[in-house]
Structure formats: structure tokens, C-alpha cells
Amino acid sequence: MAALEEEFTLSAVHLGAGPDGLLGVEPSDRADQFLVTDGGRSVVLYKVSDQKPLGSWSVKQGQIITCPAVCNFQTGEYIVVHDNKVLRIWNNEDGDLGKVFKATLSAEVYRIYSTQGTEPIVLFKEGAVRGLEALLAEPQQKIESVISEEEVIRWTKIFMILRHPILLFITEKHETYFAYVQTVHSHTLSKYTLVLGEEKALIQSFTASMDRKLISLITLCSDGSVYEALIPTHPSDPEKTQRVVRSLLLKGIVSGNARNGAAVATLDQDHVAVLGPAPEASKECLSIWNTKFQTLQTSKELPQGTSGQLWYYGEILFMLHGKFLTVIPYKCEVSSLAGALGKLKHNQDQGTQAVTRFVSWETSQECFQNSEQSKRILRRRKSEMSIQPEAPASKQLLSSIKKDSEKHIEVELRKFLATKRTPGCHAVIGDIVTGLLGRSKAEPLFYPRNCLAQLIQTCALSYSLCPGLMEVALEKKDVQILQLCLQHFPDIPESATCACLKLFLSISDSSLKEADVHMESVSASSDGAPEERMEQQPGAVENGSSPAEADCAAAANGRPPGTREESASSPVLPKRAALLNAVLHSAYSETFLVPHLKDIPAQHVTLFLRYLYFLYLKCNENATMTLPGIHPPTLNQIMDWICLLLDANFTVVVMIPEAKRLLLSLYKFVKSQISICSELNKIEISFRELQKLNQEKNNRGLYSIEVLELF
Amino acid sequence: MLAAEGGMGEFKVHRVRFFNYVPSGIRCVAYNNQSNRLAVSRTDGTVEIYNLSANYFQEKFFPGNESRSTEALCWAKEQRLFSAGLNGEIIEYDLQTLSIKYAMDAFGGPIWSMAASPSGSQLLVGCEDGSVKLFQITPDKIQFERNFDRQKNRILSLSWHPSGTHIAAGSIDYISVFDVKSGSVTHKMHVDRQYMGVSKRKCIIWGVAFLSDGTVVSVDSAGKVQFWDSATGTLVKSHLVANADVQSIAISDQEDSLVVGTAEGTVFHFQLVSVTSNSIEKQWVRTKPFQHHTHDVRTVAHSPTALISGGTDTHLVIRPLMEKVEVKNYDAALRKITFPHRRLISCSKKKQLLLFQFAHHLELWQLGSTVATGRNGDTLPLSKNADHLLHLKAKGPENIICSCISPCGSWMAYSTASRFFLYRLKYERGNISLQRVSKMPAFLHSALQILFSEDSTKLFVASNQGSLHIIRLLDGSFKHLHTFPSLSGTVESMCLLAVSPDGNWLAASGTSAGVHVYSIKLLKLHCTVPAYNFPVTALAIAPNTNNLVIAHSDQQVFEYSIPDKQYTEWSRALQKQGFHHLWLQRDTPITHISFHPKRPMHILLHDAYMFCIIDKSLPLPNDKTLLYNPIPPTNESDVIRRRTAHAFKISKLYKPLLFMDLLDERTLVAVERPLDDIIAQLPPPIKKKKFGT
């Protein structure tokens, strides 16, 4: 769920914001302090929590600031450009901008970027990029022109990849948009054409975020819809201009006729903030949308109008509301379906209900939000293909699988995955996996684990699409891939599940330690196990007391023996626990699973049983009967597996003393649970009677005369 | 004085919750694609017709009968409606006159199932004695054609193959496939009696559906939905969906989606989905469960855009399929229809009496009184409680169609499908005596609507032949004054009546055509209000101005001046401006309209979830104004209040509201029927354990 908090204005003195609003709001080197550059002559440093300015600087009459002031994080100085070419650098102590350091450059500056951990970077209007140090060393150096004539920079953003800055800038030429990705240090520049598709709407606002190796460029168009385009940060072919297709994220969320334009900002991977008039209402408002579920999370009206500009840093949004710079803190939580169901806009009367979309079963299979949309993309792609005769990414990938290096395949795969998926993508992904496995069988050294992991995580694969995959992973004892398979495949046969279980129980600690396993299903409380206790002597008496005594003691205080220490620590390593949890989560059919469970060696059965018993006790520690953690096994799954395991191995289990004792305490515990449940069922009936009595009391009877005043 | 305060005034509200009405459970639903209408039959034999195009308005109904239960309901060609039941009769309904056209004994014992052929020209019934009988539908009747091979057990379900060459019949423990031409069984498919490992005595096939590819889908008492291949007679796939009976099945016309209802109140949606993305092979997959019922879902239907279900808990639930609904509008909302869309209550303002109409009896209650006064929201101490005066049991098995008490409280009338009753009420020192007026004229044998004039001297009766009778009431006797014949060319029955308080005008409306206004003085048709696309849900004529206020099922309200024979200025302004979108989104129809005797600018109307006073003197709300504002103005100045005030004053305090009227200028009566009270009277649902399952 995302929420907007109470807004406040930064200063009672309204800024000299021109008709175009502010030039920019930039963070300074101190938290909570921001540099606000207005559209005229002054730069103000604000402390947001105190809502007051700390300092203010202006350029001389006649000069005009053309680029928002930024803070050089390495030196703590501030940098601003006025009259396009004049660079000024000053610090907090300086009072007059006329007297501070000045450098006149040979070309017009578009913007200066400053981020933590790198020197400021200057972007010129012609598209050239320089580091500040290099520029100051020779201010009059010649600046080359990168973009063509008539091409104008519309929007830019800087990203950091492994401490290297990457600059994205969008240019426009005759209503065609281009995206440039400039790696500052290596000076590689790649150019992409933004394919707008059939919608001829103008782009009103840009925002972008980076996720791993892709930049997600989000655009808000004048038709009120939000689109997303994915741009790779490492181009496969820097020489060529490539095309980027965009897809619809949200439809018609702002009204098309925004007076001052509308703005969009990516808050996190699932949330965007949108500033602009809501459809069917003239008032402007700020709203947060969840793009994953396409729901409106929250919104706030801004009746005094905005300039259509939006900045965000940390968890704060800045915008002009009327004549004042307004700050709205916000919170976005990880989007879950329950959270995203969200709420309808609180003021329904405004006629601006949330546009809720429904996923149809037929199309959900294809990982799409909207069948209509997918068709549109398909159509677009077709037309695109007719323009570009080059083979699609999948073909290229399939051919590279046969011969290229693992590294290269990975790059190709990333490119393939970056394209939006078409309805036929299942089959293609299946083909890719089959190709990879085929090669891996032929060349024993070839095992593209990363590729496989990525492919499994597309959720487009299933066991039946690539039956060999788990087989190979079992052979290679690759628990990481197996865990992913168990998590993502809907149709694993019981034999394979059981083979995984066997491997997970038998794999050595040392090889486990190396494995990169998802740990989210294991809660923090259970991963404190210092060592595994499988080597424990069977039949050893715990706590020095004989089993009979323990039983008595347990019976006396109503808890089964060994409860305390069993529940205190997990009998398996956290990594092993995570793997076993994946098995617990998998789907199975009892009839088919039980025969395979019989093949598990007795000591592993005991270990697994101990783990299940541990989980069961953990479950019963709280009232909701759930385990902590993000995706823990449920009580039903635990119980079902205990039953399955005992069904399959009962004769074996009763023969092993340790297992037998475990069984006894399990039996006692379950018995006490059953008696609790039966008591609860009894109490439920009594409660219902009480509730009935209560209702009767609340019920104002069958007849009354009341006073009603209508307003 | 109150008006000067800016408010709508203060009322004493008699809040009545002793109307012990329990709707009958739903037994069958049948959807007709051509007319987009839904026929619903209830366990008491009532059949209701809902117009899904007109906001799900219940536009017609056929009263039930104790001796008749409907086990099956179906539409045949030319939108003819048939039902069959345990009395062994097949009944055809006349949708024009709202009466039963004929009933015909099938001579096979109780009938459990019925299905019309895909062409709609033949009718098939499944009987208790194991016979399947084929009837030919002739233009004015049905004609027995022949029997199919008789089976051992009763035939509980029937389905035609879309080509009309074969049928599937569900019985006990097996499904038979018949060849229609020869009438012989081509396959018999035995259903596993095993149920969760336990052998049940019998497995009842509650429903079958025959698909064009030869697949037969069955639902049974063991909780299974099974797919059979009728060519080989083999089981293809079985889904266990419930721990109790699966009682109903319906399939979409495209055969890509089907719906089943279980005794646990769950409705499951199955869809035909491609197995893999580019294969043509498709599979039936259970996709969505819906739990909108607490009790058995006895019947389901599948319209092109919605799943429809009904059962013992008396709700009719219409669940739109979201992927088929393109825009978020009225049709995208889940509908739960519980109460009839007509009035069951009439009121004598003078004597403060309420007459409650039940299926087989009438109750007369006198409201209590109080001398106390209080502020908004107060409950006043009663000086006299409400009094149950009379319980009048109807004679015969037929349900009561309509009833009315005169405004003076001294006359009472009701009608069943074949008899009309008029009573004279006398009050003597707290005692009430009831005297039936005998020798009713022969033409007065059935009424769809009864109305007394304001001065209680005239009785208006809408008969099911489309004619309107006017009867003058004298002290203890009556005289037939006039009959307006049904208007030329139509035999459509009038369902709603309204008389002007001065007694000069009578307005009557049928189910589809416009509203007719008759002059009672001149005894002739005065005018006809222009026809509107949506059926009328309530009618009333305002005092003094004689403006006719009409509410339609699409939530539009019109005001028509009878003397001027045109819509009033206010109505035109309202139409021009349009209603507030929240007003149009209400999902129950307005069932009653009344007027304030002292405030000619006020119109009172209500639906099941709100009541509203429209003050015509105030500006109309637009979509930006807050339509419903329950909070009284506190610190605002009068100016602001006046500026934000609009014509629609809404109260949602009383719900579900079955009746609301003005007793006098300061007193309202509101009859509520809380859902909890209805649920308390239903049989308990299948209990599910909460703990330790």
C-alpha cells in the first residue's frame, strides 16, 4: 500500500516561479537539505524538516539562471550555470554569486548532474558529456556535437551502475523521440528510437528507474496513459540505432487537457506518482498508482493547480502547489495483491473512480495484463518486423546457444528477456531451455546456470515444457536450480519431487554452504541452528533423563517431552530448511508420492520428520498457527507431509529408537491439540449463543418511533 | 418555520420491523438470450421475469400456488415460457396477460426435469416413473408425441445435444444418452458411487449438459463434475468440487464456459482453456469459485456476460464475468436481488394502519403512538405499542397477488389468481370486525393491482385482461361504475395504478408501453405519456397540481403535468442537467412515491436502501456536488448551507426499506426487513467446522 502523508509548504514567501515553474529541486550533501532553483535568478537552500530556508543566493540583474543548482557531493560546493555558459561554484559561506568562482564555457550547458560517489557531470545542449574536473581544467575546450541539428534534449537522468555513472537523455526531433544511453567513463553512446506505436499522443513527462541491467523508461502521454519502454544499459550493438517498443502500463489516468502539463515519477519498481488533472475532473491531483496491479493507491487533490513538475528524493515529493513549493512525504510498501487491491478514490463523488482492470483466465497464462493490449503489441511487433528484416532476438539466441560462450549467451538472453513477451513466448522459452540442455549434455563442462535460473524465473516454464531440466540439475546436485524449479513449476511429477527431497536431505553441509539458496521461506528465528544433529547417537537420552521420566514430566505440565529444546532450534541448517520448504510447498498427489517416499533412507526420514515436527511445534506457538517469514510452509502442508512420511515409512520409523521417541511425542502433542480443538468447537457454540444474546440487546426491537431530521 | 431553518424538517418516524416477510427460496432460473430476460421460479411456485436489459427489473410475476411446485423452467421458441413440477403438469405462461395459459398433465407422475429442443419447437420432460416424454410445441398448445425407452429410476436432469439428434438424461447412478429419432438408449454411463472413499447409497445426477462435440457434463450428489464422451460412453475427466451435492449446471452458448452450483453455497466457474499456448487442444479447467450464497445453490444460469445463481437463501445473484465487461458501469457490479420489486404493504393514513401481504395471508397492524418529542436520532418512549389487529388467512392454495387497504381504513381488498375479495372493516371500542362483501360481479375474479381513491369512495381494479374497473363503494355495498377496456390492439396488463387525490385522474401503466391517464369524471382516456425505453417502477399523482411523477427502472424520474399533457418545466430541467451519477448507480428500483400535503414542492420516494425527498425549489445537484451528506451542518453559516444545498435529500438510515410513506405532515412510517431476520428463519446451512478440520 502506498500512502501520501500530510503536505506542508516549504516557505511562506512564495518563490519567483515564472510561468514555467521551478528550474529544479536538488539534494545537497546534507540529508534533509535541498537546493531549490527558481525560474529566475535565485537559488535557495531549504531544510525541509524545519520548513525554512538556510541560505539564498541570486545572480545579478540581467543574468538568468539556466540550469538548476546542484551540490558537488565530493566537495560540498554548489554549482550553478547562468546565461547558458557561465559556471559558478560556491559554498555555504559565500554571500554573493557575483564574487564566487566563475568559468565561462565554450558551449551551452543543458544540465549538471551530481550523485553520491562520483564527480559532477556536465551535459551540453548538443549532447556532449564532460566530467567537471576535466572541464574546469580547460574551460574553453571544444565541445563536440553529438545529436543532430533540430534535435532537442527533452529530459535526462543519471544512473549509477557499479559506481559508474550512466546518463540517459531523451531527445526529440519532429515528434520523434530518441533515447541515448551514455556510459560516462567508457564514452560509449548508444542510441535508441522510441517507437510510439499507433498512439499519436505527445509525451508530456518522463521518468525512469533502473532494475539490474535495464532502464525502465516511463512516459506519460497527452492521452493520459502511462507507457513503459525497456532500454538495455549495455547495448549489444552500439553502432546501430535500435528500436525500443513501449507498452501500455496504465490507461487514461489523467485527463488529456492538462493546462500546465502532467508529470510522472517512478517511486519504486511497482509504484509511480502522477501529477495532473484526473479524468472527468478539472482539479489537479497527485496520485500514486501501482503499475503491477494497475490500481490507484492513493491520491490527493491540489485545488490551487500545479506547474506540472514533480521531484522526488528519498521519501519526499516536491511540487508547486499554487505559488508555493509543497512537500508531500509518501510511503510505498512492497506491493502485494492484498495491498494493491487498494482503495477507490476516497471522494467517489468526484466521478473519478479508479480504473480497475480484471485479469481473465485465458490471458493470465500469458503473463499479460490485458488481452487487447497483447494483441496490440503483437500487431506492432509484426509491423516492426516487416520494417526490420533482421531475425528476432529469440532466433538469434537459439543460434548462439549452439556455439557461443556462456557469457555471450547470457547477454543474448538478457536481450531476449528485455523484449516484452508475446503470447507464443512459452514455446520459445521452452525451446531455449531444451537447446541449453542439449548442449550441456553434449559438452559436460557447459552448464549455464545463470541463464537457466533467469529462464525459470520468467514463470513461463513448466516441467512438461522441459522435462530434462530437473534431471540435469539433480545430476549436477544444483540445489539452487532445483529450488527455483520447485517454486516456479506447476507440474512437477511426484518422482521428481521425491528425488529433490532425497538430494536435499543427503547433500553435504559443505556443498550446501556454497549454494545460493533463496532463504525467504525460513524465518529468522529458525536459522540459529549452529550445527546439524543428524549424527546424534540414536537412542541417546536427552537431558539425562529416561524417556519414561520425560513423558511423565511432560504429561504433568501438558507439554510433550523435548518440546522446549526441539522448538528452540531447528534440526537442519537454514539453507537446508529453505530447500525442504520448497518441497513442502510443491503440489503432489498422495497416491503417487507415497511409493517414492519409501525409498528414502531411514536416517533421512528421521531428519525430515524431526524438521517437520520442529515446524509443527513452531506453528503452534502462536494463535494464528502460522510460521513467521515471507512464504513459510502452512500448517496443513506440514501435517500432510508428516502423514505422508509416516504412511510411507511407518514400519521403518517404529524400529528406530530415536524416531520412535519422536513419534511418541508427536502423538502426545497432536492428541493435546485435538482436545484443544474439540474444546474450541464447544466454546464456539457457547460464543454463538452469547452473540445471539448480544444481538438481541442491540436490536432495537421490532417497533420504535424515532426522530429524524433531514438536512 | 422549519423550512426557514433551511432543513427539510423534522419527522417522527415509525420504524417498523415486524413485517415478518420471508421470500421463498429460488428453485429454477432460465435465461432467454433473445429477449435478455431471466425467468425465476421459487419454491412456492411463483415465477418472476427479470429484464436484464432494464437494470434487472422484475417486470412480471406469476403468483405461486401451494399445489404446484416448479421443478423445471424453460424458454421455447418465440419466447414462450414453460414450467413443470411435481404435480405432473406442464404449464405454459402467458406473458401478456400475466396468467397461466394452460396446464397439461404429462401422465408420468411428478416431473423432475424439462428441456426445450435447440430449435425451441419440442419439449422434453423427465418423469418420476423413469419416462422421458417428447412434446411438440404447437402455436397455441403442446402436443404429446411419444415416449422414449423407459428407465428404471426417475429422470432428474435433461439436456439436448445442440444438433437436436441426441439427448442426455441424468437419473440415479447413471446417465443415459438417447437417440431422439428412435427414442432408444445408445449409451448408459454409470457414475461412481464412491464418495471420498466411502460408498454412498446412491449417486443422484442433478444436472447434465450436452456439448456439441459430444461431451456430456454431469454434476452429482457426490460432489463431482464429470466430463463424459457420449460416443464411447467413457469418463474423460472428473473434478471433485464439493463435500456436498453439486446441484446445478449451466453452460454458455459458445460452450467455452460453464458454471455449477453446490449445496455448500459455492458457485464454480469452469472454462475451456488451451493446454499450452499455441496448441489447439483445449481443456476444461476450474477457474473461479464464488461464494455469494449461504445455502444450497439450487440453480444456475449462464448469460453471455454473467453467471446467475439462486437457491435456498432466496437471493438471486448475478455475477458479471469481468473479462466480458468492458467498461465499469452498471452491468459490471455484482447484483444480489432479495426483495420483490413491488409493494407488499399498503397503509391507511387516517387510522394509522399497515396492511402486510404474505403469500397466503394478510396481517393488519395498528401503529403505536408517543407524546414525547426529541432531537434528531432520539428514540422516543412509546405511550402505546403497535398492535396486531388482524390475521386473515387466504382461502385455497393460490398465492395472494395484490392487496390494498383504503385510506380511511374501512375497506380492504385482495386478489388471488382466480378470486377477488373485498372486506368491510368496522372498529367498535377497540374491537375490529370484518365483513366480506359478497356477490362480487363475475368479471371481478382476478386483479393485478387494487387501489382505493383518496376519499375511499371508489375502488380501482386492474384485471389481467388489460381492462380497468371502477367500482363505487357505498356503506356496505358497491356499484360497478365503469370499465375502461384494454386499449385497442393490446392485451397488456396494467401492473401499476395511481389516482389523483382529488379523484379526477387515474394513471395506469403496463409492463412495457407508456402510462395511460384516464379522466374519471368523463370516463375516458385523457392522454398517454410518451413511451420510454425502461419499465415503470412507481407512479403517483401530486395533489393540487395533478403532476404525474413516474420512476423508471433506469432510475430516471419524470414529472408530467396531466392538465397540460406535457412534461413539467422542472422535469425538463432535470433531464437537461441529468441525474447525479450516484443516483443512477443505485441498484434497486424506486417502489413508492408520495407527496407532502403541505409542501407542494416536495416529492418523497424510496428504494430498498434509501429514501429521498426531492425539493423542487432547490438547485439540482451536478456530478461534482456531494449527493448524499449524512452529517448535519454545524458551524457553517446559513449562506454556505444554502449554497451547498441541493434538491435531493437522502437518508440511508432505514434499510432494507420495503415501504415508506408520509402519515401526516410530521410523521413518516418506514417498514424495514433486516436480512438477518430473514436468515434466521431459513433452515441452517451446511455447517463447516472452524477449528481442527
Side-chain angles (χ1 to χ4, degrees), chain A residues 280-282 344 348-354 356 358-362 365-366 423-427 465 636 677 680-681 684-685 688 695 699-711, chain B residues 8-18 271 273-274 277-278 285 287 322-323 367-368 374-380 382 385-386 581-582 611 613 623 626-627 632-633 649 653-654 691-692:
Chain A
E280 298 166 44
S282 56
L344 290 179
Q348 287 234 330
D349 298 14
Q350 304 292 321
T352 52
Q353 286 98 343
T356 37
F358 297 94
V359 180
S360 113
W361 179 269
E362 283 99 336
Q365 266 199 331
E366 292 148 15
C425 70
H426 284 66
L465 263 177
N636 281 343
C677 283
L680 278 175
N681 279 321
E684 190 202 351
I685 294 166
R688 203 174 303 148
Q695 264 172 8
N699 200 340
R700 272 165 294 183
L702 294 174
Y703 179 63
S704 58
I705 300 178
E706 292 171 15
V707 179
L708 171 75
E709 197 182 346
L710 276 181
F711 302 98
Chain B
M8 285 302 223
E10 208 175 70
F11 295 99
K12 271 184 192 169
V13 183
H14 292 263
R15 196 168 180 177
V16 173
R17 284 185 223 88
F18 47 72
Q271 280 172 282
V273 170
S274 310
S277 51
N278 19 5
V285 176
T287 53
M322 289 309 182
E323 63 262 28
L367 294 171
R375 289 214 317 270
N376 186 27
D378 287 356
T379 302
L380 304 176
L382 297 176
N385 206 339
H581 68 102
L582 289 178
F611 100 92
I613 298 180
D623 273 0
L626 194 64
L627 181 68
K649 305 292 168 190
L653 211 57
Y654 315 108
F691 304 106

Side-chain angles (χ1 to χ4, degrees), chain A residues 431-463:
Chain A
D431 289 346
I432 295 169
V433 174
T434 322
L436 288 171
L437 294 176
R439 192 170 160 204
S440 141
K441 272 198 183 125
E443 300 169 38
L445 285 176
F446 178 82
Y447 184 62
R449 172 190 282 171
N450 285 343
C451 294
L452 290 174
Q454 276 191 40
L455 283 165
I456 295 167
Q457 277 161 320
T458 56
C459 295
L461 275 181
S462 58
Y463 184 87

Side-chain angles (χ1 to χ4, degrees), chain B residues 49 236 294 335 385 413 642:
Chain B
I49 312 285
V236 180
T294 51
R335 286 303 186 84
N385 206 339
R642 224 171 283 144

Side-chain angles (χ1 to χ4, degrees), chain B residues 271-464:
Chain B
Q271 280 172 282
L272 194 61
V273 170
S274 310
V275 183
T276 53
S277 51
N278 19 5
S279 74
I280 356 162
E281 195 197 335
K282 290 194 165 189
Q283 221 174 55
W284 284 99
V285 176
R286 191 176 92 188
T287 53
K288 292 169 224 142
F290 301 113
Q291 182 87 47
H292 297 303
H293 295 277
T294 51
H295 291 66
D296 300 34
V297 179
R298 298 293 301 271
T299 176
V300 288
H302 198 310
S303 85
T305 56
L307 306 181
I308 300 158
S309 55
T312 314
D313 65 1
T314 77
H315 304 297
L316 176 66
V317 173
I318 299 165
R319 170 70 167 76
L321 293 169
M322 289 309 182
E323 63 262 28
K324 309 258 193 222
V325 183
E326 261 148 37
V327 267
K328 192 193 169 198
N329 66 358
Y330 226 74
D331 298 329
L334 172 83
R335 286 303 186 84
K336 213 167 188 176
I337 301 170
T338 311
F339 297 105
H341 291 163
R342 61 197 146 91
R343 267 200 291 146
L344 299 175
I345 297 155
S346 55
C347 155
S348 156
K349 293 183 181 180
K350 202 175 139 204
K351 284 238 157 60
Q352 306 226 324
L353 300 174
L354 287 178
L355 181 69
F356 295 148
Q357 176 191 324
F358 296 85
H360 290 109
H361 72 272
L362 297 169
E363 280 182 16
L364 188 64
W365 289 74
Q366 179 144 43
L367 294 171
S369 59
T370 181
V371 288
T373 52
R375 289 214 317 270
N376 186 27
D378 287 356
T379 302
L380 304 176
L382 297 176
S383 53
K384 182 177 158 289
N385 206 339
D387 203 4
H388 188 177
L389 299 180
L390 196 69
H391 181 105
L392 182 66
K393 181 103 183 63
K395 293 184 181 77
E398 291 172 328
N399 282 12
I400 296 171
I401 302 175
C402 56
S403 63
C404 194
I405 187 161
S406 67
C408 68
S410 50
W411 296 92
M412 188 170 94
Y414 77 89
S415 173
T416 67
S418 62
R419 294 175 80 181
F420 183 90
F421 299 88
L422 179 65
Y423 292 92
R424 182 110 173 90
L425 296 166
K426 285 203 174 99
Y427 306 86
E428 279 160 23
R429 280 167 273 122
N431 285 332
I432 184 163
S433 68
L434 190 69
Q435 189 191 356
R436 172 149 186 224
V437 180
S438 53
K439 289 184 222 137
M440 296 303 293
F443 61 82
L444 263 186
H445 57 81
S446 173
L448 291 172
Q449 186 68 264
I450 308 168
L451 188 69
F452 288 94
S453 65
E454 197 79 358
D455 55 4
S456 304
T457 59
K458 288 192 187 82
L459 172 67
F460 306 98
V461 177
S463 82
N464 59 1

Side-chain angles (χ1 to χ4, degrees), chain A residues 133-418:
Chain A
E133 298 299 319
L135 196 63
L136 291 179
E138 196 189 337
Q140 284 297 315
Q141 63 180 272
K142 192 168 165 9
I143 303 297
E144 76 280 5
S145 177
V146 172
I147 57 175
S148 63
E149 254 178 65
E150 292 181 53
E151 216 173 319
V152 188
I153 298 181
R154 285 275 170 246
W155 181 82
T156 62
K157 183 160 173 125
I158 194 161
F159 299 98
M160 295 294 283
I161 296 179
L162 304 169
R163 278 183 259 148
H164 293 300
I166 279 190
L167 198 64
L168 167 73
F169 56 97
I170 311 287
T171 64
E172 188 201 331
K173 183 180 179 181
H174 306 311
E175 292 187 12
T176 310
Y177 292 91
F178 301 98
Y180 293 84
V181 177
Q182 168 103 47
T183 319
V184 176
H185 289 265
S186 61
H187 296 291
T188 52
L189 177 76
S190 35
K191 183 176 176 184
Y192 301 89
T193 309
L194 279 185
V195 182
L196 297 188
E198 283 125 47
E199 303 84 10
K200 277 282 161 270
L202 289 174
I203 298 182
Q204 288 194 318
S205 174
F206 295 89
T207 182
S209 60
M210 205 182 58
D211 175 35
R212 291 183 187 177
K213 281 147 193 174
L214 282 173
I215 295 172
S216 147
L217 177 69
I218 293 192
T219 53
L220 176 68
C221 285
S222 57
D223 62 353
S225 302
V226 173
Y227 299 86
E228 182 188 32
L230 296 175
I231 303 172
T233 51
H234 290 286
S236 51
D237 195 356
E239 265 76 71
K240 251 190 204 156
T241 299
Q242 288 163 331
R243 285 160 168 264
V244 177
V245 184
R246 60 181 193 166
S247 58
L248 185 66
L249 265 190
L250 296 164
K251 197 175 169 186
I253 56 167
V254 292
S255 141
N257 48 17
R259 191 161 25 90
N260 285 324
V264 65
T266 312
L267 303 181
D268 64 13
Q269 58 183 41
D270 296 329
H271 292 94
V272 293
V274 177
L275 182 71
E280 298 166 44
S282 56
K283 271 181 195 154
E284 299 202 37
C285 63
L286 172 71
S287 38
I288 295 185
W289 286 79
N290 184 315
T291 54
K292 197 168 171 186
F293 301 112
Q294 313 199 342
T295 49
L296 177 65
Q297 297 287 297
T298 178
S299 93
K300 183 170 232 149
E301 254 188 32
L302 300 166
Q304 293 165 45
T306 68
S307 60
Q309 289 168 299
L310 187 63
W311 295 269
Y312 69 100
Y313 296 103
E315 291 197 325
I316 305 175
L317 286 164
F318 294 88
M319 73 217 68
L320 272 183
H321 182 198
K323 285 283 181 194
F324 301 103
L325 180 62
T326 301
V327 177
I328 304 181
Y330 70 91
K331 277 210 165 58
C332 286
E333 281 162 28
V334 176
S335 60
S336 64
L337 186 57
L341 288 176
K343 59 169 190 175
L344 290 179
K345 214 170 196 183
H346 48 82
N347 44 357
Q348 287 234 330
D349 298 14
Q350 304 292 321
T352 52
Q353 286 98 343
V355 189
T356 37
R357 259 160 244 272
F358 297 94
V359 180
S360 113
W361 179 269
E362 283 99 336
T363 51
S364 67
Q365 266 199 331
E366 292 148 15
C367 316
F368 271 104
Q369 301 125 335
N370 195 311
S371 63
E372 189 194 353
Q373 188 192 341
S374 71
K375 271 179 217 139
R376 200 182 307 140
I377 290 170
L378 190 64
R379 216 166 26 239
R380 193 185 302 154
R381 183 142 302 162
K382 268 185 201 145
S383 59
E384 199 186 335
M385 266 187 228
S386 57
I387 304 164
Q388 293 173 285
E390 63 180 29
S394 64
K395 286 234 178 80
Q396 219 169 313
L397 178 59
L398 281 174
S399 67
S400 72
I401 283 170
K402 291 194 184 105
K403 48 187 199 297
D404 290 341
S405 71
E406 228 178 291
K407 195 96 194 151
H408 189 92
I409 294 174
E410 218 170 300
V411 172
E412 284 295 320
L413 180 65
R414 203 177 304 130
K415 221 189 307 172
F416 168 70
L417 292 179

Side-chain angles (χ1 to χ4, degrees), chain B residues 348-618:
Chain B
S348 156
K349 293 183 181 180
K350 202 175 139 204
K351 284 238 157 60
Q352 306 226 324
L353 300 174
L354 287 178
L355 181 69
F356 295 148
Q357 176 191 324
F358 296 85
H360 290 109
H361 72 272
L362 297 169
E363 280 182 16
L364 188 64
W365 289 74
Q366 179 144 43
L367 294 171
S369 59
T370 181
V371 288
T373 52
R375 289 214 317 270
N376 186 27
D378 287 356
T379 302
L380 304 176
L382 297 176
S383 53
K384 182 177 158 289
N385 206 339
D387 203 4
H388 188 177
L389 299 180
L390 196 69
H391 181 105
L392 182 66
K393 181 103 183 63
K395 293 184 181 77
E398 291 172 328
N399 282 12
I400 296 171
I401 302 175
C402 56
S403 63
C404 194
I405 187 161
S406 67
C408 68
S410 50
W411 296 92
M412 188 170 94
Y414 77 89
S415 173
T416 67
S418 62
R419 294 175 80 181
F420 183 90
F421 299 88
L422 179 65
Y423 292 92
R424 182 110 173 90
L425 296 166
K426 285 203 174 99
Y427 306 86
E428 279 160 23
R429 280 167 273 122
N431 285 332
I432 184 163
S433 68
L434 190 69
Q435 189 191 356
R436 172 149 186 224
V437 180
S438 53
K439 289 184 222 137
M440 296 303 293
F443 61 82
L444 263 186
H445 57 81
S446 173
L448 291 172
Q449 186 68 264
I450 308 168
L451 188 69
F452 288 94
S453 65
E454 197 79 358
D455 55 4
S456 304
T457 59
K458 288 192 187 82
L459 172 67
F460 306 98
V461 177
S463 82
N464 59 1
Q465 300 305 319
S467 49
L468 296 171
H469 307 293
I470 306 179
I471 288 145
R472 172 175 293 154
L473 301 170
L474 302 161
D475 193 33
S477 69
F478 64 89
K479 190 184 160 211
H480 177 223
L481 265 187
H482 186 74
T483 295
F484 293 114
S486 65
L487 289 163
S488 58
T490 60
V491 278
E492 196 198 41
S493 299
M494 296 297 159
C495 303
L496 289 166
L497 293 176
V499 66
S500 66
D502 61 12
N504 289 338
W505 308 103
L506 177 67
S509 146
T511 51
S512 57
V515 180
H516 306 294
V517 181
Y518 299 90
S519 162
I520 300 171
K521 262 192 200 152
L522 304 173
L523 296 178
K524 72 183 187 81
L525 182 70
H526 174 70
C527 63
T528 299
V529 180
Y532 186 67
N533 291 343
F534 288 87
V536 178
T537 68
L539 274 182
I541 300 173
N544 307 323
T545 57
N546 282 329
N547 285 338
L548 174 64
V549 178
I550 310 164
H552 290 275
S553 72
D554 62 343
Q555 310 296 6
Q556 296 286 340
V557 178
F558 294 96
E559 192 188 44
Y560 184 85
S561 166
I562 294 174
D564 300 344
K565 296 191 188 180
Q566 60 176 7
Y567 287 112
T568 64
E569 278 305 315
W570 179 79
S571 185
R572 281 167 213 268
L574 186 61
Q575 285 306 312
K576 208 168 161 194
Q577 157 116 36
F579 281 86
H580 195 280
H581 68 102
L582 289 178
W583 175 271
L584 297 176
Q585 276 170 16
R586 292 178 303 114
D587 64 358
T588 50
I590 289 168
T591 49
H592 185 54
I593 303 171
S594 54
F595 302 95
H596 198 287
K598 289 284 160 64
R599 295 183 192 154
M601 297 309 277
H602 287 193
I603 304 170
L604 280 80
L605 24 80
H606 78 85
D607 67 14
Y609 295 97
M610 65 104 214
F611 100 92
C612 174
I613 298 180
I614 300 179
D615 185 343
K616 292 191 282 177
S617 63
L618 288 174

